[in-house]
Amino acid sequence: MSYAKYMPDLSHGDPADAAAVNALRSAVMRLGRRLKHQRVDESLSPTEMSVLGTLARCGSATPGELARKEHVQPPSMTRIVALLEAKGLVRLEPHPDDRRQKVVSQTETAEAMLEESRRKRNAWLASLAEGLDEDEWAKLRAAAPVLEKLAHL
Amino acid sequence: MSYAKYMPDLSHGDPADAAAVNALRSAVMRLGRRLKHQRVDESLSPTEMSVLGTLARCGSATPGELARKEHVQPPSMTRIVALLEAKGLVRLEPHPDDRRQKVVSQTETAEAMLEESRRKRNAWLASLAEGLDEDEWAKLRAAAPVLEKLAHL
DNA sequence: TATTGTTATACTCTATAACTATA
DNA sequence: TATAGTTATAGAGTATAACAATA
């Protein structure tokens, strides 16, 4: 239940945290695999979906910026952006100040698709909810922003 | 149309939870990619590592059990087990009751390697700790078991 | 010269289908 | 017939290296 009883003043390198990070690592990798299968839109890979999410938050970005944010190499992002463009989900425009760069932004189609995806995700959430109690969900809600921060660190 | 039949418990299907699940999904996928790069042992894939972790917890298992636990198909687990055996990290023995099955267990080498990995993970943890405060870490510790449960649901 | 993005290529991981052997 | 595991093959996704265009 609580590590605090044994570790009242936790430093960040102690065994309790190491155990937590091990659990996190294992769970994140397994959940990642399940998410790949539970994906809401079969025609979009997880990273493509993530790029659309990033564009929805940031408005627009260059391929290089997207590669850094998604932690993939530039050639991989070139391919991902090309696939998204072929599907009509992003638009590519020349960069106003630097002719080497490009500006990627999402289309109205992508916006509509994300809205539709949200409803499908709710259905998946409901099926998971059967196995978790309210306290467990509260813990996930509290940790979600921290996981996001961790992913960006 | 209604999603009511997929959401018998409305408290789990509300917008706040949907937002949390979106955040979780995004963070889990990005963290997964980072973990692939931050991997403690360059010669072991994330799933190979996860299998060793499972064996460390469960003692031993058949290839079929491992495939179900790691959410991969049987042929994938055949390959993973073969790679681990080639590296001297697992041992394969005949199943006592069923000659179709095999029993996979970790070797002493794997045990030593996991101990070494633990130290390396602590170093990675320490570098992350600089970006999180105590409250944030507490939330991660609380959520870790729930994420594990989610991964097994 | 350094940087942004692309092309060409190869690798890793996983899946599906077909097969073998036990049950 | 059904099940556990394997073999053979294909596909998705990513990386590295070499290259082009621009700064």
Side-chain angles (χ1 to χ4, degrees):
Chain A
M1 174 174 291
S2 170
Y3 292 102
K5 177 174 163 186
Y6 300 97
M7 311 286 172
D9 47 1
L10 288 163
S11 61
H12 288 140
D14 69 21
D17 273 346
V21 130
N22 270 318
L24 271 176
R25 192 183 118 94
S26 168
V28 161
M29 275 164 18
R30 291 184 191 192
L31 260 183
R33 271 194 296 276
R34 297 198 66 180
L35 281 166
K36 268 174 74 171
H37 291 281
Q38 297 284 351
R39 81 175 62 160
V40 287
D41 188 314
E42 286 299 327
S43 66
L44 257 56
S45 80
T47 308
E48 287 176 281
M49 207 63 196
S50 189
V51 166
L52 288 184
T54 297
L55 289 177
R57 281 193 307 277
C58 305
S60 67
T62 68
E65 286 168 346
L66 288 172
R68 283 187 289 275
K69 280 181 183 168
E70 302 296 330
H71 299 286
V72 300
Q73 293 302 308
S76 301
M77 189 49 69
T78 292
R79 181 181 169 277
I80 291 163
V81 167
L83 289 171
L84 288 174
E85 192 189 21
K87 288 166 187 161
L89 297 171
V90 303
R91 191 179 6 253
L92 277 116
E93 288 159 323
H95 194 284
D97 305 335
D98 187 336
R99 281 192 296 174
R100 292 174 304 181
Q101 302 186 50
K102 293 175 181 176
V103 177
V104 187
S105 55
Q106 70 172 355
T107 62
E108 310 69 35
T109 308
E111 226 159 332
M113 199 215 64
L114 285 173
E115 173 56 35
E116 169 62 20
S117 292
R118 209 164 296 134
R119 281 205 296 276
K120 291 188 185 173
R121 283 195 200 98
N122 283 350
W124 183 62
L125 169 65
S127 79
L128 279 186
E130 293 166 15
L132 295 181
D133 61 30
E134 201 48 57
D135 181 57
E136 289 170 320
W137 268 108
K139 285 173 178 165
L140 283 186
R141 277 195 297 273
V146 187
L147 283 169
E148 289 248 47
K149 184 176 177 181
L150 210 59
H152 287 288
L153 239 52
Chain B
M1 75 156 71
S2 170
Y3 284 85
K5 80 172 176 180
Y6 299 113
M7 299 187 285
D9 186 345
L10 289 177
S11 65
H12 288 141
D14 66 22
D17 273 348
V21 131
N22 270 316
L24 271 175
R25 192 184 118 95
S26 168
V28 162
M29 273 162 22
R30 291 187 190 191
L31 260 183
R33 272 195 294 275
R34 297 198 65 181
L35 281 165
K36 268 173 73 172
H37 290 279
Q38 296 286 350
R39 78 175 63 161
V40 287
D41 187 315
E42 285 301 325
S43 65
L44 258 56
S45 79
T47 308
E48 286 176 281
M49 207 62 197
S50 188
V51 166
L52 287 184
T54 296
L55 289 176
R57 282 193 306 278
C58 305
S60 67
T62 68
E65 286 168 345
L66 288 173
R68 282 186 291 276
K69 280 181 184 168
E70 302 295 332
H71 298 287
V72 297
Q73 293 302 308
S76 301
M77 189 50 70
T78 293
R79 182 180 167 275
I80 290 163
V81 167
L83 289 171
L84 287 174
E85 190 188 22
K87 289 166 187 161
L89 297 170
V90 303
R91 190 178 8 253
L92 277 115
E93 290 160 321
H95 193 284
D97 306 335
D98 186 338
R99 282 191 296 172
R100 291 174 305 179
Q101 302 186 50
K102 294 176 180 175
V103 176
V104 187
S105 54
Q106 69 173 355
T107 62
E108 311 68 35
T109 309
E111 227 159 333
M113 200 215 63
L114 286 172
E115 175 54 37
E116 169 64 17
S117 293
R118 211 164 294 135
R119 281 206 297 275
K120 292 187 184 172
R121 281 196 202 96
N122 283 349
W124 183 62
L125 171 64
S127 78
L128 278 186
E130 294 166 15
L132 294 180
D133 62 31
E134 200 48 57
D135 181 55
E136 289 171 321
W137 267 109
K139 285 172 179 166
L140 283 186
R141 278 193 298 273
V146 186
L147 283 170
E148 291 249 45
K149 183 174 176 182
L150 211 58
H152 288 288
L153 240 51

